[in-house]
Amino acid sequence: MTVSTTMGESQDRQASFGGVQARATSDINEPRIAIRDLDFFYGSNRALKNIRLDLPDRQVTGMIGPSGCGKSTLLRVLNRMYDLYPGQRAAGEVMMDGENIIDPSVDLNSLRARIGMVFQKPTPFPMTIYDNIAFGVKLHEKLSKAEMDERVEWSLSRGALWDEVKDRLRTSAMGLSGGQQQRLCIARTIAVRPEVILFDEPTSALDPEMVQEVLTVMTDLAAEGMTMVVVTHEMGFARRAANRVVFMADGSIVEDDEPEQFFGNPKTTRAKDFLAKILHH
């Protein structure tokens, strides 16, 4: 059942995606995530420097910049992936629903359900297509078989994969093409009803003919109002689908603007040089 809400409600608001509610609790005018004075360290190396950034609710933030500038590192801070590696640490504030999500007391399983992530290379689990989708759902919800079947179909439909795999759900996901595997990973992320999805160059490891099918899924999610943060080298996608473009260099934010302004009239020489290089490559 879809819950009806008004624009002014600020508590327990839910966005309906295909009849399944995505969890959301922020006011429509508040940033979904507010980053303040964020530094990040690999050992003694300061990889992010005094990052201040608002990630708007129900909008797409595109993050671009040269390799090694810190954009992927920033994504890994947002769902605490760095906790898996000794010697990596963050300092500052990353606020979501009034909570600093980089505080050590935050429950990481809950956080990673709320902030999902899709990586550069497809990472299907070595199990069936159906179980890939159901795996994360089972960690957070108790659904009947009929409800799980519905969730699997809904998720694969959102990933534009249902029609291609509905007759082989019980076969291994490892038999899918690269583009299909990445769409499966997007569907798997959607299945747990995240509030935010992080994409770390999700097309960079795909063959050129498979890139567009993944970008189409992401564009559809953006049109539905999913809050997304996308690290990308696909300037066409950033220009077309992003509401904001953040340009990073040397671990800092250099520009943060609307796509039309950033691509049409960048303010800094650093951004102008980057765009001239990448757009005429």
Side-chain angles (χ1 to χ4, degrees), residues 84-187:
L84 300 171
Y85 306 98
Q88 300 184 13
R89 62 185 179 88
E93 289 187 344
V94 181
M95 303 300 295
M96 184 176 184
D97 293 336
E99 180 179 39
N100 185 4
I101 61 176
I102 64 172
D103 188 277
S105 65
V106 170
D107 180 85
L108 295 186
N109 286 332
S110 174
L111 176 66
R112 290 170 185 157
R114 297 170 67 199
I115 305 178
M117 189 163 184
V118 178
F119 298 91
Q120 290 184 14
K121 294 183 179 180
T123 55
F125 299 149
M127 55 183 68
T128 68
I129 295 168
Y130 184 101
D131 288 339
N132 262 269
I133 301 297
F135 184 85
V137 178
K138 290 177 180 177
L139 294 177
H140 304 286
E141 300 179 64
K142 292 184 178 180
L143 301 184
S144 68
K145 183 182 184 304
E147 290 171 331
M148 184 64 79
D149 289 347
E150 182 181 356
R151 183 70 63 86
V152 169
E153 179 177 351
W154 173 79
S155 302
L156 289 170
S157 295
R158 298 310 328 125
L161 196 56
W162 174 253
D163 288 339
E164 296 171 41
V165 303
K166 61 184 178 182
D167 296 326
R168 50 175 174 148
L169 294 176
R170 300 297 179 179
T171 64
S172 174
M174 309 309 288
L176 298 174
S177 70
Q180 288 175 323
Q181 288 186 359
Q182 192 66 305
R183 283 183 284 149
L184 176 67
C185 292
I186 294 173

Side-chain angles (χ1 to χ4, degrees), residues 71-81 111-120 123 182 185-186 188-190 192 194 196-201 229 231:
K71 54 191 186 295
S72 292
T73 296
L74 181 54
L75 285 198
R76 283 161 168 74
V77 171
L78 296 180
N79 77 343
R80 297 279 297 276
M81 289 299 296
L111 176 66
R112 290 170 185 157
R114 297 170 67 199
I115 305 178
M117 189 163 184
V118 178
F119 298 91
Q120 290 184 14
T123 55
Q182 192 66 305
C185 292
I186 294 173
R188 188 178 66 197
T189 301
I190 295 168
V192 297
V196 179
I197 302 180
L198 314 174
F199 292 87
D200 189 6
E201 299 186 34
V229 186
V231 170

Side-chain angles (χ1 to χ4, degrees), residues 201-239:
E201 299 186 34
T203 61
S204 64
L206 300 179
D207 293 335
E209 65 270 17
M210 298 177 181
V211 168
Q212 189 56 50
E213 62 190 47
V214 173
L215 292 179
T216 298
V217 171
M218 295 169 62
T219 301
D220 289 346
L221 287 173
E224 292 173 354
M226 174 62 75
T227 304
M228 297 160 54
V229 186
V230 183
V231 170
T232 184
H233 288 298
E234 298 285 345
M235 295 300 108
F237 174 82
R239 186 194 294 261

